[in-house]
Amino acid sequence: LPNGKYVVKLHFAETFEGITGPGERVFSFNVQGKEFKDFDVWVKAGGFLKAYIETVPVEVTDGKLKITFTPKVENPQICAIEIIPPSATETSVVAPAPAASTPSASTATTPASSAPTGPIVLQVDASKVTGKVSPMLYGLMTEEINFAYEGGVYAELIRNRSFKADAVVPAVTPETYEVGKYLPVTFKPDTQPRFWTAVGGASMMLDTNTPLNEFLNVSLKLDASSASAASPAGVANEGFWGIPVKPKTTYTVSFFAKAAPGFGGPVTVSLESADGRTTFASKAISGLSSDWRKFETKLTTKSLTASKDNVFKLTTATPGTLWLQNVSLFPPTYKNRKNGNRADIMELLAAMKPKFLRFPGGNYLEGNAFNQRFIWKETLGPVEQRPGHPSCWGYWSTDGMGLLEFAEWCEDLDMEPILGVFAGYCLGRGGVIPAGPALEPYVQEALEEIEYLIGDAKTTKWGARRAKDGHPKPFKMQYVEVGNEDWFDRSGSYDGRFAQFYDGIKAKYPHLKVMSSWGYEQPESGSVKSRVPDLVDEHFYRNMEEMMAQAFRYDTYSRTNPTKIFCGEWATRVGSPTPNMSGALGDGAWMTCMERNSDIVLLSCYAPLFVNVSQLTGNGRSMQWSSDLIGYDALTSYGSPAYHAQKMFSTMHGDEILATDSQNIPTREWQRRGRGGAAGQSQQIREVFFDATRDAKSGVIYLKLVNTSGTSQRVNVQINGAKSITSKGEAVVLAASKLDDTNSITEPDKIVP
C-alpha cells in the first residue's frame, strides 16, 4: 500500500455449525504490530451468525500492511477485511471481491465453440490393447457429512436416540489423550434433549444420576405425573425431518426403560401424524420396574398413503416417573440386516455395481480432536454400549454405523473394504503426533483394526472378537490408506508418520497395498519420500470446465513409476444439493481420462456420496457440502444426473483398454480462475471426450463419448483391426436441454439414461 494512515476494519462472524459456544474458536491476531490476544468470535459477537467489527487505526511506513493470525483453539475465521485510506468515506474504496460460491458452469447456454475443419472422427484400434482396465476402478467413498449415516443410509429413524446430542465433550490434546481410554462426556444441568418433545403435560430433562451404563451415561427422565386415560403423557420424536410411514410395513421398536416405585404401566409406543389426528400403529408394553430393562416390539401399518410428516410417541396413561435410553425405531432394512441400512438408498448403490467402499471417511476419520475421531473399538458390540461421538460436521454420531456395519455394507453389495486408518493427525485444533514412540500406539491400533477385519477367528484376538460380534468369516481386503488429506498437516510430519505405519502394516500383512493420502496433485515438498507407497490418493473438486481442462492429466503420468493412483475424492461441483447436467458432463469428461488410464488409476470414487435434502439452509441444516451424488429425505431418494453418468461408466466397460485417436475435435476458449476469484489465463479446451475398452471374452467394445458443446455433433466412428463387426450396436444416452437441468426429490427421473 502507499505509505500513510489507514483504518482497518476486520469483520467477524461465527458461521460454522461445528462451533456451538464460547471457547470453541479462540485465536490471536496482529494488525500492523497491534496485538489482539485470545480473540473469541462467539463472545465478541454474542452468538452464532452475529457480526462483530474490530476497527484498527494503522500507519503504513514501508509500503506494506501486515495482518497475522495465530490459532489457539480451532483455526482463525474472518469474513471480510476493509482497508480504508484517510480520504475515503466510511464505505470502502476497494472494489468488492466476487461473492464466494460453488464453482459453476451452470448457465443456460454454452459459450460458442470453434468450428472444426471437418467432421469429428474417432478411431478405435481393435488390434492394439494399451493396458488393462483395473477390475477395482469404480467404487464408493463415504463419510458422516450431510447426514449421510444418521438420517441417511443407516436405517435408524429416531434422532438423538441416546440423548447425547447435547453432550459436552472433554477437551484433550495429543499429549494428554490416552490411546484407547474412554473419556465420558458431561451435560449441563436441566438440559432439554434436542429433537424430543414432551406431550400430554409431561416434563422431561436429562438425568446423569440414572445412567444406563458407563457409555450411555445419561438418560431421559420423564415426569408423567399428569398422565390419565383421557390425556396420556410422554414424549415424541420427529426423526430426521420426519418419520416415514409406509403402507403394510413392519417397524421394530426397542428401548431401555425403568420406572420409579409404584408405577404400574403400561407404556404405549405409536406412529402418529404430526398433527396428532391419525394413529397409524400402536402397541402397549408392560413390565417396567425399578431396574433397567430392554423392551422390544413391532408396529405394523395397514393400507395407507406413504408420508413423512409424522412422529414416534412413547406415552403412558398411568401417572409416574420414567427413565428412557436408546429409544430406537427401525424400518425393514436392506437384506433384512439387523442394525442395517436403508433399502432404497442401498438399491441405488447396488445398481452402480461398485467394487469397493472407502471408509470410515475423510474428515470423519480424523475428527476435530483425538477423542472425536473415529475410534473403531468404541463402535463395536451392542449399540447400547457404543458411546458415540461428535462428527466434525456439527452433529452427533451414535456410531450405530460402526466398523462391523461398514464391512457388512461391503458384503451386502459384493464390495471390498478400503480401510482408512487414523494416522496421528486431527483436523484444525486437534493436533498431530510426529513419528516416534508416541505414535506407536496408533500404529498398533491400526494393526488391530486390520486384524478385526481380516484376522482368523480361531487364532487371532481381534478375529475372535469379530466372530463374537457375529461374523466369523474374515472379510476380503487388499488396500489400507494411512490417514486422510494429510497435506493439511503443515508440520511436515507425514513422511515420517507414513513410514512408521507402512513398516508396521507391511511387516504383519505384506500382501496389503498401503496408500499415501498425499497425492501428486499436492505440493511435492510434503510427499512421501522415505518409502514407496503402493498408491497415492488424489483429490479433485472442480467446476465443469476445470474437469474438461484436466481430462488428459493421467495420459502423461509415468508408466514406470511403481506407485499407482487412487482418485479417492473427486467431483464436478456444479449444482446443489446434487449435481446438475453440467456436473454430469464434467464427471464424464474426467471419467474418460481415468478409464483410459486405468492401468495406473486403479481405483476411483466420487465424493461426497450422500446428502439429506430436507433442510438445505439455516441453523441445523441437513446439508454441509453441496454437489452430492445421491439425495434423499425421510421418505424417498433419487440419483442425480452425475449418479446416472457414474452408473453408465461403472456398469458398462470392458477389461482391455483400446488405442484411440481423433481428428477435428471442436474446442472453445476458456478463462481459468485465478487467485482470489480473479480472472486467470485463457486457453483452448476440448468439447468432446472419449475412451474405448473391450471385453476380452465377448469381444464387445464399449465406446464412452461425452459431448459438452451444447449442440448435436455428428461423429464418424472408425473401428480398425477387428476381424468382424456386427451390423448393429446399442446406444445408451444421457442428455438434457440445458446445463442446469437436474433431478430432485420432486422430479427424481427428469434426467435418466
Side-chain angles (χ1 to χ4, degrees):
L1 296 175
N3 290 342
K5 294 183 178 181
Y6 294 81
V7 172
V8 176
K9 290 188 176 183
L10 296 93
H11 298 249
F12 297 95
E14 184 51 66
T15 61
F16 178 50
E17 290 189 37
I19 303 298
T20 58
E24 296 184 10
R25 186 193 301 281
V26 180
F27 54 91
S28 298
F29 60 91
N30 184 299
V31 183
Q32 201 71 347
K34 297 182 179 181
E35 187 76 23
F36 297 79
K37 290 188 176 181
D38 300 327
F39 184 83
D40 189 327
V41 177
W42 188 285
V43 172
K44 288 286 189 179
F48 181 67
L49 291 181
K50 294 184 177 180
Y52 174 80
I53 301 174
E54 189 73 54
T55 302
V56 189
V58 300
E59 184 171 3
V60 174
T61 58
D62 62 350
K64 295 179 181 179
L65 170 62
K66 188 174 183 181
I67 306 174
T68 59
F69 296 83
T70 306
K72 299 290 186 183
V73 181
E74 189 54 277
N75 288 329
Q77 174 173 294
I78 186 166
C79 299
I81 299 174
E82 278 189 282
I83 303 172
I84 306 170
S87 60
T89 61
E90 275 299 294
T91 56
S92 173
V93 298
V94 180
S101 64
T102 300
S104 176
S106 181
T107 53
T109 59
T110 309
S113 58
S114 61
T117 57
I120 300 172
V121 178
L122 301 186
Q123 296 168 322
V124 180
D125 189 346
S127 67
K128 186 176 182 181
V129 175
T130 62
K132 293 292 185 180
V133 177
S134 168
M136 297 284 288
L137 180 59
Y138 296 104
L140 306 174
M141 183 272 177
T142 179
E143 71 170 300
E144 183 63 287
I145 184 176
N146 302 322
F147 291 85
Y149 309 153
E150 308 285 332
V153 68
Y154 180 53
E156 175 66 80
L157 298 178
I158 300 297
R159 190 169 184 184
N160 193 16
R161 70 180 181 192
S162 59
F163 308 110
K164 295 185 76 172
D166 302 281
V168 179
V169 182
V172 300
T173 67
E175 295 76 24
T176 61
Y177 174 72
E178 185 177 332
V179 186
K181 181 179 180 180
Y182 171 61
L183 300 176
V185 297
T186 58
F187 299 85
K188 295 178 181 179
D190 302 321
T191 299
Q192 299 287 303
R194 276 186 273 185
F195 315 117
W196 289 89
T197 306
V199 297
S203 63
M204 61 179 183
M205 63 173 287
L206 294 181
D207 185 357
T208 56
N209 295 317
T210 314
L212 177 64
N213 54 45
E214 65 173 312
F215 303 112
L216 300 187
N217 60 337
V218 68
S219 61
L220 177 69
K221 182 178 181 180
L222 175 65
D223 182 350
S225 57
S226 63
S228 66
S231 180
V235 289
N237 188 279
E238 62 182 16
F240 295 89
W241 297 277
I243 297 282
V245 173
K246 298 181 179 180
K248 297 181 179 180
T249 302
T250 298
Y251 299 81
T252 300
V253 179
S254 65
F255 59 93
F256 287 82
K258 61 179 293 186
F263 179 80
V267 297
T268 298
V269 291
S270 60
L271 293 173
E272 302 181 16
S273 60
D275 59 14
R277 296 178 180 177
T278 307
T279 298
F280 303 108
S282 66
K283 189 73 66 73
I285 298 175
S286 300
L288 272 72
S289 69
S290 57
D291 295 319
W292 283 109
R293 179 184 166 192
K294 185 177 182 179
F295 298 88
E296 190 167 344
T297 190
K298 304 287 186 181
L299 293 176
T300 302
T301 60
K302 299 179 180 179
S303 295
L304 48 81
T305 301
S307 61
K308 64 177 181 178
D309 295 326
N310 311 301
V311 297
F312 168 84
K313 283 186 180 179
L314 188 151
T315 58
T316 180
T318 305
T321 301
L322 313 176
W323 287 266
L324 302 172
Q325 183 50 271
N326 213 64
V327 182
S328 174
L329 175 68
F330 264 84
T333 60
Y334 188 72
K335 294 191 175 182
N336 297 314
R337 176 81 71 180
K338 187 177 181 181
N339 196 46
N341 291 339
R342 183 171 151 174
D344 60 327
I345 296 177
M346 289 288 282
E347 286 164 0
L348 284 170
L349 299 179
M352 298 172 71
K353 297 182 180 179
K355 297 302 183 182
F356 66 84
L357 177 71
R358 176 188 172 217
F359 68 83
N363 291 357
Y364 187 65
L365 169 68
E366 298 159 321
N368 288 323
F370 275 70
N371 60 334
Q372 297 182 36
R373 61 195 174 94
F374 182 77
I375 306 175
W376 64 272
K377 291 179 182 179
E378 294 182 1
T379 74
L380 303 180
V383 292
E384 66 270 14
Q385 294 179 11
R386 303 181 190 184
H389 71 285
S391 89
C392 50
W393 293 101
Y395 54 92
W396 188 263
S397 174
T398 65
D399 284 328
M401 179 67 76
L403 180 59
L404 181 60
E405 284 76 18
F406 280 118
E408 290 176 335
W409 179 356
C410 293
E411 188 173 68
D412 286 346
L413 293 185
D414 195 25
M415 305 182 292
E416 289 186 22
I418 290 184
L419 177 66
V421 296
F422 179 75
Y425 167 69
C426 288
L427 300 167
R429 62 186 173 186
V432 61
I433 294 179
L439 187 64
E440 191 57 30
Y442 297 94
V443 176
Q444 295 306 311
E445 187 182 66
L447 294 175
E448 292 170 338
E449 187 175 14
I450 295 169
E451 183 176 284
Y452 183 89
L453 292 174
I454 67 175
D456 182 77
K458 295 181 179 179
T459 60
T460 67
K461 173 184 174 180
W462 289 100
R465 173 60 195 268
R466 184 193 65 246
K468 178 184 176 183
D469 291 341
H471 203 285
K473 185 179 179 180
F475 296 96
K476 179 185 177 183
M477 187 171 73
Q478 301 180 64
Y479 299 95
V480 174
E481 181 168 5
V482 178
N484 169 73
E485 294 187 336
D486 283 84
W487 61 81
F488 284 115
D489 170 22
R490 305 302 187 191
S491 70
S493 70
Y494 184 61
D495 188 13
R497 291 190 288 113
F498 177 85
Q500 195 166 341
F501 277 85
Y502 180 94
D503 292 347
I505 294 170
K506 287 289 188 179
K508 189 171 183 180
Y509 302 102
H511 70 284
L512 290 179
K513 305 295 186 185
V514 182
M515 300 191 288
S516 163
S517 77
W518 194 300
Y520 297 137
E521 90 287 12
Q522 297 299 325
E524 193 274 338
S525 58
S527 64
V528 172
K529 300 178 180 67
S530 61
R531 301 293 184 275
V532 179
D534 293 298
L535 297 92
V536 296
D537 183 359
E538 301 197 336
H539 294 180
F540 300 99
Y541 293 106
R542 305 285 191 266
N543 64 26
M544 185 180 102
E545 287 88 353
E546 288 168 332
M547 281 302 202
M548 293 161 59
Q550 69 171 32
F552 299 91
R553 179 186 187 98
Y554 291 127
D555 295 53
T556 59
Y557 270 39
S558 169
R559 261 53 188 179
T560 59
N561 186 346
T563 300
K564 304 302 182 182
I565 303 298
F566 173 31
C567 198
E569 291 184 32
W570 65 269
T572 305
R573 292 199 66 203
V574 187
S576 180
T578 51
N580 54 26
M581 190 63 194
S582 176
L585 289 169
D587 288 355
W590 178 238
M591 284 188 287
T592 64
C593 176
M594 293 191 292
E595 189 168 279
R596 185 172 59 251
N597 293 284
S598 55
D599 56 325
I600 59 169
V601 183
L602 303 187
L603 312 134
S604 71
C605 47
Y606 186 102
L609 184 59
F610 298 130
V611 61
N612 190 313
V613 301
S614 298
Q615 183 190 333
L616 299 179
T617 60
N619 195 17
R621 61 188 179 271
S622 62
M623 179 179 73
Q624 292 85 45
W625 181 282
S626 61
S627 299
D628 310 290
L629 202 63
I630 292 171
Y632 47 83
D633 61 9
L635 190 62
T636 60
S637 57
Y638 70 95
S640 64
Y643 162 84
H644 291 292
Q646 296 264 326
K647 181 180 170 184
M648 292 167 71
F649 271 75
S650 66
T651 61
M652 293 181 282
H653 64 83
D655 54 357
E656 297 177 328
I657 307 166
L658 297 182
T660 56
D661 201 353
S662 63
Q663 287 87 44
N664 302 320
I665 299 294
T667 64
R668 65 178 170 89
E669 187 176 4
W670 167 66
Q671 194 168 47
R672 183 179 292 276
R673 289 184 299 171
R675 291 181 178 272
Q681 292 182 335
S682 295
Q683 67 182 88
Q684 291 291 317
I685 55 173
R686 294 194 185 198
E687 293 191 310
V688 174
F689 305 85
F690 64 96
D691 79 277
T693 62
R694 178 176 58 196
D695 184 281
K697 291 183 179 179
S698 67
V700 172
I701 292 175
Y702 297 88
L703 175 62
K704 307 285 177 61
L705 179 59
V706 182
N707 173 23
T708 68
S709 69
T711 58
S712 297
Q713 301 283 344
R714 183 169 183 83
V715 179
N716 294 334
V717 178
Q718 300 175 357
I719 301 178
N720 305 314
K723 294 180 180 179
S724 63
I725 301 174
T726 57
S727 60
K728 292 183 179 180
E730 179 185 36
V732 181
V733 181
L734 185 73
S737 59
K738 300 191 303 295
L739 285 175
D740 55 8
D741 280 354
T742 194
N743 297 336
S744 65
I745 205 76
T746 55
E747 291 185 286
D749 298 319
K750 183 176 180 179
I751 300 173
V752 296

